[in-house]
CSV table of all heavy atoms in Angstrom, one decimal:
chain,number,residue,atom,x,y,z
A,24,MET,N,-4.8,6.8,-16.5
A,24,MET,CA,-3.4,7.3,-16.6
A,24,MET,C,-2.7,7.1,-15.4
A,24,MET,O,-1.6,6.4,-15.4
A,24,MET,CB,-3.5,8.8,-17.1
A,24,MET,CG,-2.1,9.3,-17.6
A,24,MET,SD,-1.9,10.5,-18.9
A,24,MET,CE,-3.5,10.8,-19.4
A,25,ALA,N,-3.2,7.5,-14.2
A,25,ALA,CA,-2.5,7.3,-13.1
A,25,ALA,C,-2.8,5.9,-12.6
A,25,ALA,O,-3.9,5.3,-12.5
A,25,ALA,CB,-3.1,8.2,-12.0
A,26,LYS,N,-1.7,5.1,-12.5
A,26,LYS,CA,-1.8,3.8,-12.1
A,26,LYS,C,-1.8,3.5,-10.5
A,26,LYS,O,-1.1,4.3,-9.9
A,26,LYS,CB,-0.7,2.9,-12.7
A,26,LYS,CG,0.6,3.3,-12.3
A,26,LYS,CD,1.5,2.4,-13.1
A,26,LYS,CE,3.0,2.9,-12.6
A,26,LYS,NZ,4.0,2.1,-13.4
A,27,LEU,N,-2.7,2.7,-10.1
A,27,LEU,CA,-2.7,2.4,-8.8
A,27,LEU,C,-1.4,1.6,-8.4
A,27,LEU,O,-1.2,0.6,-8.9
A,27,LEU,CB,-3.9,1.6,-8.4
A,27,LEU,CG,-5.3,2.5,-8.5
A,27,LEU,CD1,-6.4,1.5,-8.2
A,27,LEU,CD2,-5.2,3.6,-7.4
A,28,ARG,N,-0.9,2.1,-7.2
A,28,ARG,CA,0.2,1.2,-6.7
A,28,ARG,C,0.2,1.5,-5.2
A,28,ARG,O,-0.1,2.5,-4.7
A,28,ARG,CB,1.6,1.7,-7.2
A,28,ARG,CG,1.9,3.1,-7.0
A,28,ARG,CD,3.4,3.5,-7.5
A,28,ARG,NE,3.7,4.8,-7.2
A,28,ARG,CZ,4.9,5.4,-7.4
A,28,ARG,NH1,5.7,4.6,-7.9
A,28,ARG,NH2,5.1,6.6,-7.0
A,29,LYS,N,0.6,0.4,-4.5
A,29,LYS,CA,0.7,0.6,-3.0
A,29,LYS,C,2.1,1.0,-2.6
A,29,LYS,O,3.0,0.3,-2.9
A,29,LYS,CB,0.4,-0.9,-2.4
A,29,LYS,CG,0.5,-0.8,-1.0
A,29,LYS,CD,-0.8,-0.5,-0.4
A,29,LYS,CE,-0.7,-0.7,1.2
A,29,LYS,NZ,-1.7,-0.2,1.9
A,30,PRO,N,2.1,2.2,-2.1
A,30,PRO,CA,3.5,2.7,-1.7
A,30,PRO,C,4.1,2.0,-0.6
A,30,PRO,O,3.4,1.4,0.3
A,30,PRO,CB,3.3,4.2,-1.4
A,30,PRO,CG,1.8,4.2,-0.9
A,30,PRO,CD,1.2,3.0,-1.7
A,31,GLU,N,5.5,1.8,-0.4
A,31,GLU,CA,6.0,1.4,0.7
A,31,GLU,C,5.7,2.4,1.9
A,31,GLU,O,5.8,3.6,1.8
A,31,GLU,CB,7.5,1.3,0.6
A,31,GLU,CG,8.0,0.4,-0.5
A,31,GLU,CD,8.0,-1.1,0.0
A,31,GLU,OE1,7.8,-1.2,1.3
A,31,GLU,OE2,8.0,-2.0,-0.9
A,32,GLU,N,5.3,1.9,2.9
A,32,GLU,CA,4.9,2.7,4.1
A,32,GLU,C,5.6,2.3,5.3
A,32,GLU,O,6.1,1.2,5.5
A,32,GLU,CB,3.4,2.5,4.4
A,32,GLU,CG,2.5,2.9,3.3
A,32,GLU,CD,1.1,2.7,3.7
A,32,GLU,OE1,0.8,2.8,4.9
A,32,GLU,OE2,0.3,2.2,2.9
A,33,ARG,N,5.8,3.3,6.2
A,33,ARG,CA,6.3,3.1,7.5
A,33,ARG,C,5.6,3.8,8.5
A,33,ARG,O,5.2,5.1,8.2
A,33,ARG,CB,7.9,3.2,7.6
A,33,ARG,CG,8.2,4.6,7.5
A,33,ARG,CD,9.7,4.7,7.6
A,33,ARG,NE,10.2,6.1,7.5
A,33,ARG,CZ,11.5,6.5,7.6
A,33,ARG,NH1,12.4,5.4,7.7
A,33,ARG,NH2,12.0,7.7,7.4
A,34,GLU,N,5.5,3.4,9.7
A,34,GLU,CA,4.7,4.0,10.8
A,34,GLU,C,5.6,4.2,12.0
A,34,GLU,O,6.2,3.0,12.5
A,34,GLU,CB,3.5,3.4,11.0
A,34,GLU,CG,2.6,4.2,12.2
A,34,GLU,CD,1.3,3.7,12.3
A,34,GLU,OE1,0.8,2.9,11.4
A,34,GLU,OE2,0.6,4.1,13.3
A,35,CYS,N,5.7,5.3,12.7
A,35,CYS,CA,6.5,5.3,13.9
A,35,CYS,C,5.6,4.8,15.1
A,35,CYS,O,4.5,5.0,15.3
A,35,CYS,CB,6.7,6.8,14.2
A,35,CYS,SG,7.5,7.1,15.9
A,36,GLU,N,6.3,3.8,15.7
A,36,GLU,CA,5.6,3.2,16.9
A,36,GLU,C,5.4,4.2,18.2
A,36,GLU,O,4.8,3.8,19.1
A,36,GLU,CB,6.4,2.0,17.2
A,36,GLU,CG,6.2,0.9,16.1
A,36,GLU,CD,7.0,-0.3,16.5
A,36,GLU,OE1,7.8,-0.3,17.4
A,36,GLU,OE2,6.8,-1.4,15.7
A,37,ARG,N,6.1,5.2,18.1
A,37,ARG,CA,6.1,6.2,19.2
A,37,ARG,C,5.1,7.3,19.1
A,37,ARG,O,4.3,7.5,19.9
A,37,ARG,CB,7.4,6.8,19.5
A,37,ARG,CG,8.5,5.7,19.8
A,37,ARG,CD,9.9,6.2,20.3
A,37,ARG,NE,10.9,5.4,20.6
A,37,ARG,CZ,12.0,5.7,21.2
A,37,ARG,NH1,12.3,6.9,21.5
A,37,ARG,NH2,12.9,4.7,21.5
A,38,CYS,N,5.1,7.9,18.0
A,38,CYS,CA,4.3,9.1,17.8
A,38,CYS,C,3.2,8.9,16.7
A,38,CYS,O,2.2,9.7,16.5
A,38,CYS,CB,5.0,10.3,17.4
A,38,CYS,SG,5.8,10.4,15.9
A,39,GLY,N,3.2,7.7,15.9
A,39,GLY,CA,2.2,7.5,15.0
A,39,GLY,C,2.4,8.1,13.7
A,39,GLY,O,1.5,8.1,12.8
A,40,ARG,N,3.5,8.8,13.5
A,40,ARG,CA,3.9,9.4,12.2
A,40,ARG,C,3.9,8.4,11.0
A,40,ARG,O,4.5,7.2,11.3
A,40,ARG,CB,5.2,10.1,12.3
A,40,ARG,CG,5.7,10.8,11.0
A,40,ARG,CD,7.1,11.3,11.0
A,40,ARG,NE,7.5,12.0,9.8
A,40,ARG,CZ,7.5,13.2,9.6
A,40,ARG,NH1,6.9,14.0,10.5
A,40,ARG,NH2,8.0,13.6,8.5
A,41,VAL,N,3.4,8.7,10.0
A,41,VAL,CA,3.4,7.8,8.8
A,41,VAL,C,4.1,8.5,7.7
A,41,VAL,O,3.9,9.6,7.4
A,41,VAL,CB,2.0,7.4,8.4
A,41,VAL,CG1,1.9,6.6,7.1
A,41,VAL,CG2,1.2,6.7,9.5
A,42,GLU,N,5.1,7.7,7.1
A,42,GLU,CA,5.7,8.1,5.9
A,42,GLU,C,5.6,7.1,4.8
A,42,GLU,O,5.4,6.0,5.0
A,42,GLU,CB,7.2,8.4,6.2
A,42,GLU,CG,7.5,9.5,7.2
A,42,GLU,CD,8.8,9.8,7.4
A,42,GLU,OE1,9.8,9.1,6.9
A,42,GLU,OE2,9.1,10.8,8.0
A,43,VAL,N,5.8,7.6,3.6
A,43,VAL,CA,5.7,6.8,2.4
A,43,VAL,C,6.9,7.0,1.7
A,43,VAL,O,7.7,8.0,1.7
A,43,VAL,CB,4.5,7.0,1.4
A,43,VAL,CG1,3.2,6.7,2.2
A,43,VAL,CG2,4.5,8.4,0.9
A,44,TRP,N,7.4,5.9,1.0
A,44,TRP,CA,8.6,6.0,0.2
A,44,TRP,C,8.4,6.5,-1.3
A,44,TRP,O,7.4,6.2,-1.9
A,44,TRP,CB,9.2,4.5,-0.1
A,44,TRP,CG,10.4,4.5,-1.0
A,44,TRP,CD1,10.5,4.1,-2.1
A,44,TRP,CD2,11.7,4.9,-0.5
A,44,TRP,NE1,11.8,4.3,-2.6
A,44,TRP,CE2,12.5,4.8,-1.6
A,44,TRP,CE3,12.2,5.5,0.7
A,44,TRP,CZ2,14.0,5.2,-1.6
A,44,TRP,CZ3,13.6,5.9,0.7
A,44,TRP,CH2,14.4,5.6,-0.3
A,45,ASP,N,9.1,7.6,-1.6
A,45,ASP,CA,9.0,8.3,-2.8
A,45,ASP,C,10.0,7.8,-3.8
A,45,ASP,O,11.2,8.0,-3.8
A,45,ASP,CB,9.2,9.8,-2.6
A,45,ASP,CG,8.8,10.6,-3.8
A,45,ASP,OD1,8.9,10.1,-4.9
A,45,ASP,OD2,8.4,11.7,-3.6
A,46,ASP,N,9.5,6.9,-4.8
A,46,ASP,CA,10.4,6.4,-5.8
A,46,ASP,C,11.0,7.4,-6.7
A,46,ASP,O,12.1,7.3,-7.1
A,46,ASP,CB,9.6,5.5,-6.7
A,46,ASP,CG,9.6,4.1,-6.1
A,46,ASP,OD1,10.4,3.7,-5.3
A,46,ASP,OD2,8.5,3.4,-6.4
A,47,ASP,N,10.4,8.5,-6.9
A,47,ASP,CA,10.9,9.6,-7.7
A,47,ASP,C,12.0,10.3,-7.2
A,47,ASP,O,12.8,10.8,-7.8
A,47,ASP,CB,9.8,10.6,-8.1
A,47,ASP,CG,8.6,9.9,-9.0
A,47,ASP,OD1,8.9,8.9,-9.6
A,47,ASP,OD2,7.6,10.3,-8.8
A,48,HIS,N,12.0,10.4,-5.8
A,48,HIS,CA,13.0,11.2,-5.1
A,48,HIS,C,14.0,10.4,-4.2
A,48,HIS,O,14.8,10.9,-3.5
A,48,HIS,CB,12.4,12.3,-4.3
A,48,HIS,CG,11.7,13.4,-5.2
A,48,HIS,ND1,10.3,13.2,-5.5
A,48,HIS,CD2,12.0,14.4,-5.9
A,48,HIS,CE1,9.9,14.1,-6.3
A,48,HIS,NE2,10.9,14.9,-6.6
A,49,ASP,N,13.8,9.1,-4.2
A,49,ASP,CA,14.4,8.1,-3.3
A,49,ASP,C,14.6,8.7,-1.9
A,49,ASP,O,15.6,8.7,-1.3
A,49,ASP,CB,15.9,7.9,-4.0
A,49,ASP,CG,15.9,7.3,-5.1
A,49,ASP,OD1,14.9,6.4,-5.4
A,49,ASP,OD2,16.7,7.3,-5.9
A,50,THR,N,13.4,8.9,-1.4
A,50,THR,CA,13.5,9.4,0.0
A,50,THR,C,12.0,9.1,0.7
A,50,THR,O,11.0,8.9,0.0
A,50,THR,CB,13.7,10.9,0.2
A,50,THR,OG1,13.9,11.3,1.5
A,50,THR,CG2,12.6,11.7,-0.4
A,51,TRP,N,12.1,9.1,2.0
A,51,TRP,CA,10.7,9.1,2.7
A,51,TRP,C,10.2,10.4,2.7
A,51,TRP,O,10.8,11.4,2.9
A,51,TRP,CB,11.0,8.5,4.1
A,51,TRP,CG,11.4,7.1,4.1
A,51,TRP,CD1,12.6,6.5,4.4
A,51,TRP,CD2,10.5,5.9,3.9
A,51,TRP,NE1,12.6,5.2,4.4
A,51,TRP,CE2,11.4,4.8,4.2
A,51,TRP,CE3,9.2,5.8,3.8
A,51,TRP,CZ2,10.7,3.5,4.0
A,51,TRP,CZ3,8.6,4.5,3.7
A,51,TRP,CH2,9.4,3.4,3.7
A,52,ARG,N,8.8,10.5,2.7
A,52,ARG,CA,8.2,11.8,3.0
A,52,ARG,C,6.8,11.5,3.5
A,52,ARG,O,6.3,10.4,3.6
A,52,ARG,CB,8.0,12.4,1.5
A,52,ARG,CG,7.1,11.6,0.5
A,52,ARG,CD,6.8,12.4,-0.8
A,52,ARG,NE,6.3,11.5,-1.7
A,52,ARG,CZ,5.0,11.2,-1.7
A,52,ARG,NH1,4.3,11.6,-0.8
A,52,ARG,NH2,4.4,10.4,-2.8
A,53,VAL,N,6.2,12.6,4.2
A,53,VAL,CA,4.9,12.4,4.6
A,53,VAL,C,3.8,12.4,3.5
A,53,VAL,O,4.2,13.0,2.5
A,53,VAL,CB,4.6,13.7,5.5
A,53,VAL,CG1,3.2,13.6,6.0
A,53,VAL,CG2,5.6,13.7,6.6
A,54,PRO,N,3.0,11.5,3.6
A,54,PRO,CA,2.0,11.4,2.6
A,54,PRO,C,1.2,12.6,2.3
A,54,PRO,O,0.9,13.4,3.2
A,54,PRO,CB,1.2,10.1,3.0
A,54,PRO,CG,1.4,10.0,4.4
A,54,PRO,CD,2.8,10.5,4.6
A,55,THR,N,0.7,12.7,1.0
A,55,THR,CA,-0.1,13.8,0.7
A,55,THR,C,-1.5,13.3,0.3
A,55,THR,O,-1.8,12.2,0.3
A,55,THR,CB,0.5,14.6,-0.4
A,55,THR,OG1,0.4,13.8,-1.7
A,55,THR,CG2,1.9,15.1,-0.2
A,56,ASP,N,-2.3,14.2,-0.1
A,56,ASP,CA,-3.7,13.7,-0.6
A,56,ASP,C,-3.6,12.8,-1.8
A,56,ASP,O,-4.6,12.2,-2.2
A,56,ASP,CB,-4.5,15.0,-0.9
A,56,ASP,CG,-4.9,15.7,0.5
A,56,ASP,OD1,-4.9,15.1,1.5
A,56,ASP,OD2,-5.3,16.9,0.3
A,57,ASP,N,-2.5,12.9,-2.5
A,57,ASP,CA,-2.4,12.1,-3.6
A,57,ASP,C,-2.2,10.5,-3.3
A,57,ASP,O,-2.3,9.7,-4.2
A,57,ASP,CB,-1.2,12.5,-4.5
A,57,ASP,CG,-1.4,13.8,-5.1
A,57,ASP,OD1,-2.6,14.2,-5.3
A,57,ASP,OD2,-0.5,14.6,-5.4
A,58,ASP,N,-1.7,10.3,-2.1
A,58,ASP,CA,-1.7,9.0,-1.7
A,58,ASP,C,-2.9,8.5,-1.0
A,58,ASP,O,-3.1,8.7,0.1
A,58,ASP,CB,-0.4,8.9,-0.6
A,58,ASP,CG,0.8,9.5,-1.2
A,58,ASP,OD1,1.4,8.9,-2.2
A,58,ASP,OD2,1.5,10.5,-0.7
A,59,GLU,N,-3.5,7.8,-1.8
A,59,GLU,CA,-5.0,7.5,-1.5
A,59,GLU,C,-5.1,6.4,-0.3
A,59,GLU,O,-6.0,6.3,0.5
A,59,GLU,CB,-5.7,6.8,-2.6
A,59,GLU,CG,-5.8,7.9,-3.7
A,59,GLU,CD,-6.4,7.2,-5.0
A,59,GLU,OE1,-7.1,6.2,-4.8
A,59,GLU,OE2,-6.4,7.8,-6.1
A,60,ASP,N,-4.1,5.5,-0.1
A,60,ASP,CA,-4.1,4.6,0.8
A,60,ASP,C,-3.7,5.0,2.2
A,60,ASP,O,-3.7,4.2,3.2
A,60,ASP,CB,-3.2,3.4,0.3
A,60,ASP,CG,-3.8,2.7,-1.0
A,60,ASP,OD1,-5.1,2.9,-1.2
A,60,ASP,OD2,-3.1,2.2,-1.7
A,61,VAL,N,-3.2,6.2,2.3
A,61,VAL,CA,-2.4,6.7,3.4
A,61,VAL,C,-3.2,7.8,4.2
A,61,VAL,O,-3.7,8.6,3.6
A,61,VAL,CB,-1.0,7.1,3.2
A,61,VAL,CG1,-0.2,7.4,4.4
A,61,VAL,CG2,-0.3,6.1,2.4
A,62,ASP,N,-3.3,7.7,5.5
A,62,ASP,CA,-3.9,8.7,6.3
A,62,ASP,C,-2.9,9.9,6.3
A,62,ASP,O,-1.8,9.9,6.9
A,62,ASP,CB,-4.0,8.1,7.7
A,62,ASP,CG,-4.6,9.3,8.7
A,62,ASP,OD1,-4.9,10.3,8.1
A,62,ASP,OD2,-4.8,9.0,9.8
A,63,ALA,N,-3.2,10.9,5.6
A,63,ALA,CA,-2.4,12.0,5.4
A,63,ALA,C,-2.2,13.0,6.6
A,63,ALA,O,-1.5,13.9,6.6
A,63,ALA,CB,-2.8,12.9,4.2
A,64,ASP,N,-3.0,12.7,7.8
A,64,ASP,CA,-3.0,13.4,8.9
A,64,ASP,C,-1.9,12.9,9.8
A,64,ASP,O,-1.7,13.7,10.9
A,64,ASP,CB,-4.3,13.3,9.7
A,64,ASP,CG,-5.4,14.1,8.7
A,64,ASP,OD1,-5.0,15.0,8.1
A,64,ASP,OD2,-6.5,13.7,8.9
A,65,ALA,N,-1.3,11.8,9.7
A,65,ALA,CA,-0.3,11.2,10.6
A,65,ALA,C,1.1,11.8,10.5
A,65,ALA,O,1.9,11.1,10.0
A,65,ALA,CB,-0.4,9.6,10.4
A,66,VAL,N,1.2,12.9,10.9
A,66,VAL,CA,2.5,13.8,10.8
A,66,VAL,C,3.4,13.4,12.0
A,66,VAL,O,4.5,13.2,12.0
A,66,VAL,CB,2.3,15.2,10.7
A,66,VAL,CG1,3.7,15.9,10.6
A,66,VAL,CG2,1.6,15.5,9.4
A,67,GLY,N,2.7,13.1,13.1
A,67,GLY,CA,3.4,12.8,14.3
A,67,GLY,C,4.1,13.8,15.0
A,67,GLY,O,3.7,15.1,14.7
A,68,ASP,N,5.0,13.5,15.8
A,68,ASP,CA,5.8,14.5,16.6
A,68,ASP,C,7.1,14.7,15.9
A,68,ASP,O,8.0,13.9,15.8
A,68,ASP,CB,6.0,14.0,17.9
A,68,ASP,CG,6.7,15.1,18.9
A,68,ASP,OD1,7.1,16.1,18.3
A,68,ASP,OD2,6.8,14.7,20.1
A,69,VAL,N,7.4,16.1,15.5
A,69,VAL,CA,8.7,16.3,14.9
A,69,VAL,C,9.9,16.1,15.8
A,69,VAL,O,11.0,16.0,15.3
A,69,VAL,CB,8.6,17.9,14.3
A,69,VAL,CG1,7.6,18.0,13.2
A,69,VAL,CG2,8.4,18.9,15.5
A,70,HIS,N,9.6,16.1,17.1
A,70,HIS,CA,10.7,16.0,18.0
A,70,HIS,C,11.0,14.5,18.4
A,70,HIS,O,11.9,14.3,19.2
A,70,HIS,CB,10.5,16.9,19.2
A,70,HIS,CG,10.5,18.3,18.9
A,70,HIS,ND1,11.4,19.0,18.4
A,70,HIS,CD2,9.4,19.2,19.2
A,70,HIS,CE1,11.1,20.3,18.3
A,70,HIS,NE2,9.8,20.4,18.8
A,71,CYS,N,10.1,13.7,17.9
A,71,CYS,CA,10.2,12.3,18.3
A,71,CYS,C,11.4,11.7,17.6
A,71,CYS,O,11.8,11.9,16.6
A,71,CYS,CB,8.9,11.6,17.8
A,71,CYS,SG,9.0,9.8,18.0
A,72,VAL,N,12.1,10.8,18.4
A,72,VAL,CA,13.1,9.9,17.7
A,72,VAL,C,12.4,8.6,17.1
A,72,VAL,O,12.1,7.8,17.9
A,72,VAL,CB,14.1,9.4,18.7
A,72,VAL,CG1,15.2,8.6,18.0
A,72,VAL,CG2,14.7,10.6,19.4
A,73,HIS,N,11.9,8.9,16.0
A,73,HIS,CA,11.1,7.9,15.3
A,73,HIS,C,11.5,6.4,15.5
A,73,HIS,O,12.8,6.2,15.2
A,73,HIS,CB,10.7,8.3,13.9
A,73,HIS,CG,10.2,9.6,13.8
A,73,HIS,ND1,9.1,10.2,14.4
A,73,HIS,CD2,10.7,10.7,13.2
A,73,HIS,CE1,8.8,11.3,14.1
A,73,HIS,NE2,9.8,11.8,13.3
A,74,GLU,N,10.6,5.6,15.8
A,74,GLU,CA,11.0,4.2,15.8
A,74,GLU,C,10.1,3.5,14.8
A,74,GLU,O,8.8,3.3,15.1
A,74,GLU,CB,10.8,3.6,17.3
A,74,GLU,CG,11.2,2.2,17.3
A,74,GLU,CD,11.8,1.9,18.8
A,74,GLU,OE1,12.4,2.7,19.4
A,74,GLU,OE2,11.6,0.8,19.3
A,75,TRP,N,10.5,3.2,13.6
A,75,TRP,CA,9.7,2.8,12.6
A,75,TRP,C,9.5,1.3,12.7
A,75,TRP,O,10.2,0.4,13.2
A,75,TRP,CB,10.5,2.9,11.2
A,75,TRP,CG,10.7,4.4,11.1
A,75,TRP,CD1,12.0,5.0,11.1
A,75,TRP,CD2,9.9,5.7,10.9
A,75,TRP,NE1,12.0,6.4,10.9
A,75,TRP,CE2,10.6,6.8,10.8
A,75,TRP,CE3,8.4,5.6,10.8
A,75,TRP,CZ2,10.1,8.0,10.6
A,75,TRP,CZ3,7.9,7.0,10.7
A,75,TRP,CH2,8.7,8.1,10.5
A,76,ASP,N,8.1,1.0,12.3
A,76,ASP,CA,7.6,-0.3,12.6
A,76,ASP,C,8.2,-1.4,11.5
A,76,ASP,O,8.0,-2.6,11.5
A,76,ASP,CB,6.1,-0.4,12.4
A,76,ASP,CG,5.6,0.1,11.1
A,76,ASP,OD1,6.4,0.7,10.4
A,76,ASP,OD2,4.3,-0.1,10.9
A,77,ILE,N,8.9,-0.8,10.5
A,77,ILE,CA,9.6,-1.6,9.5
A,77,ILE,C,11.1,-1.7,9.6
A,77,ILE,O,11.8,-2.1,8.7
A,77,ILE,CB,9.2,-1.3,8.1
A,77,ILE,CG1,9.6,0.1,7.9
A,77,ILE,CG2,7.7,-1.5,7.9
A,77,ILE,CD1,9.5,0.4,6.3
A,78,ASP,N,11.7,-1.3,10.7
A,78,ASP,CA,13.2,-1.1,10.7
A,78,ASP,C,13.7,-2.4,10.4
A,78,ASP,O,13.5,-3.5,10.8
A,78,ASP,CB,13.5,-0.7,12.2
A,78,ASP,CG,13.2,-1.6,13.2
A,78,ASP,OD1,12.1,-2.2,13.0
A,78,ASP,OD2,14.0,-1.9,14.0
A,79,GLY,N,14.8,-2.3,9.4
A,79,GLY,CA,15.6,-3.4,9.0
A,79,GLY,C,15.0,-4.0,7.7
A,79,GLY,O,15.8,-4.6,7.1
A,80,SER,N,13.8,-4.0,7.6
A,80,SER,CA,13.2,-4.6,6.4
A,80,SER,C,13.3,-3.9,5.2
A,80,SER,O,13.2,-4.4,4.0
A,80,SER,CB,11.7,-4.9,6.6
A,80,SER,OG,11.0,-3.9,6.8
A,81,PHE,N,13.6,-2.6,5.2
A,81,PHE,CA,13.7,-1.7,4.0
A,81,PHE,C,14.6,-0.6,4.4
A,81,PHE,O,14.2,0.3,5.3
A,81,PHE,CB,12.3,-1.3,3.6
A,81,PHE,CG,12.3,-0.4,2.4
A,81,PHE,CD1,12.2,-1.1,1.1
A,81,PHE,CD2,12.7,0.9,2.4
A,81,PHE,CE1,12.3,-0.3,-0.1
A,81,PHE,CE2,12.6,1.6,1.2
A,81,PHE,CZ,12.5,1.0,0.0
A,82,ARG,N,15.6,-0.4,3.7
A,82,ARG,CA,16.3,0.9,3.9
A,82,ARG,C,17.1,1.2,2.6
A,82,ARG,O,17.4,0.4,1.9
A,82,ARG,CB,17.4,0.5,5.1
A,82,ARG,CG,18.6,-0.2,4.6
A,82,ARG,CD,19.5,-0.3,5.8
A,82,ARG,NE,19.0,-0.6,7.2
A,82,ARG,CZ,19.6,-0.8,8.2
A,82,ARG,NH1,20.9,-0.8,8.3
A,82,ARG,NH2,18.9,-1.0,9.3
A,83,PRO,N,17.0,2.6,2.4
A,83,PRO,CA,17.7,3.1,1.2
A,83,PRO,C,19.1,2.7,1.1
A,83,PRO,O,19.8,2.6,2.1
A,83,PRO,CB,17.4,4.6,1.3
A,83,PRO,CG,16.8,4.9,2.6
A,83,PRO,CD,16.6,3.6,3.4
A,84,ILE,N,19.6,2.6,-0.2
A,84,ILE,CA,21.0,2.2,-0.2
A,84,ILE,C,21.7,3.5,-0.6
A,84,ILE,O,21.4,4.2,-1.4
A,84,ILE,CB,21.1,1.2,-1.5
A,84,ILE,CG1,20.4,-0.1,-1.1
A,84,ILE,CG2,22.6,1.0,-1.7
A,84,ILE,CD1,20.3,-1.0,-2.1
A,85,GLU,N,22.7,3.8,0.1
A,85,GLU,CA,23.6,5.0,0.0
A,85,GLU,C,24.4,4.8,-1.3
A,85,GLU,O,25.1,3.8,-1.5
A,85,GLU,CB,24.5,5.2,1.2
A,85,GLU,CG,23.7,5.5,2.3
A,85,GLU,CD,23.1,6.9,2.3
A,85,GLU,OE1,23.6,7.8,1.5
A,85,GLU,OE2,22.1,7.0,3.0
B,8,ZN,ZN1,7.9,9.2,16.0
């Protein structure tokens, strides 16, 4: 039932935070245990000015 799919991912080059793209909500979010391919521990620093490793290659459309 659950189909495997590779989520869009981005990782902060400064603090190591990892986020995945949530198609259902059109937003980035921290991965959960449901995201099998992602390290769910990589929350990073909440005060960090995140510098994503994919900047420019993917951005939500307003
Ligand atoms: Zn960061």
Side-chain angles (χ1 to χ4, degrees):
M24 197 146 350
K26 60 181 178 182
L27 287 177
R28 62 173 182 176
K29 178 88 173 164
E31 296 282 348
E32 293 178 38
R33 66 179 183 179
E34 179 173 351
C35 176
E36 295 178 345
R37 297 189 181 191
C38 71
R40 179 189 179 92
V41 174
E42 293 184 353
V43 296
W44 180 253
D45 188 333
D46 278 331
D47 295 331
H48 299 95
D49 289 338
T50 188
W51 289 103
R52 61 176 172 76
V53 177
T55 67
D56 290 338
D57 292 334
D58 300 299
E59 299 176 13
D60 295 335
V61 185
D62 180 2
D64 294 329
V66 177
D68 183 351
V69 294
H70 300 297
C71 174
V72 182
H73 302 301
E74 188 149 326
W75 304 110
D76 59 351
I77 59 163
D78 59 321
S80 63
F81 183 92
R82 72 177 46 172
I84 299 173
E85 295 290 332

